[in-house]
Amino acid sequence: MSRKPPRRRSESTKPAAAKRNLLNDRGVTEVDYKDVATLRLFLSDRGKIRSRRVTGLTPQQQRQVATAIRNAREMALLPFVSSR
């Protein structure tokens, strides 16, 4: 039985850069549902909340952002998920 050689990363492939934490960059300590411009950064083009893996937020910040987006949607400041 022949064994396959281990897969190796090509030398031109660089590891992904660390995600930037937008809330820390902007100096936001508490997420507010009325700050629609900042919350839109965490929504996809279809209106879905982006995952923590994509946004680079801490778990606590991601929970605050998700709650603020849900509150803003209830207040009709942000759209709900688009089906298209």
Side-chain angles (χ1 to χ4, degrees), residues 13-49:
T13 305
K14 297 178 184 175
K19 303 289 185 217
R20 298 203 39 127
N21 188 326
L22 292 175
L23 293 181
N24 288 347
D25 290 349
R26 291 173 173 245
V28 176
T29 56
E30 194 70 29
V31 181
D32 187 19
Y33 76 92
K34 293 173 277 190
D35 188 6
V36 179
T38 302
L39 293 178
R40 281 191 189 274
L41 298 173
F42 301 105
L43 290 176
S44 70
D45 56 341
R46 294 194 183 262
K48 292 184 176 183
I49 300 172

Side-chain angles (χ1 to χ4, degrees), residues 32-79:
D32 187 19
Y33 76 92
K34 293 173 277 190
D35 188 6
V36 179
T38 302
L39 293 178
R40 281 191 189 274
L41 298 173
F42 301 105
L43 290 176
S44 70
D45 56 341
R46 294 194 183 262
K48 292 184 176 183
I49 300 172
R50 294 188 191 273
S51 69
R52 196 180 141 246
R53 180 174 49 89
V54 174
T55 60
L57 298 177
T58 64
Q60 292 83 4
Q61 289 172 331
Q62 183 69 23
R63 283 193 293 271
Q64 285 181 356
V65 166
T67 303
I69 288 173
R70 284 190 225 112
N71 289 339
R73 284 175 173 164
E74 288 294 322
M75 298 291 177
L77 300 174
L78 287 175

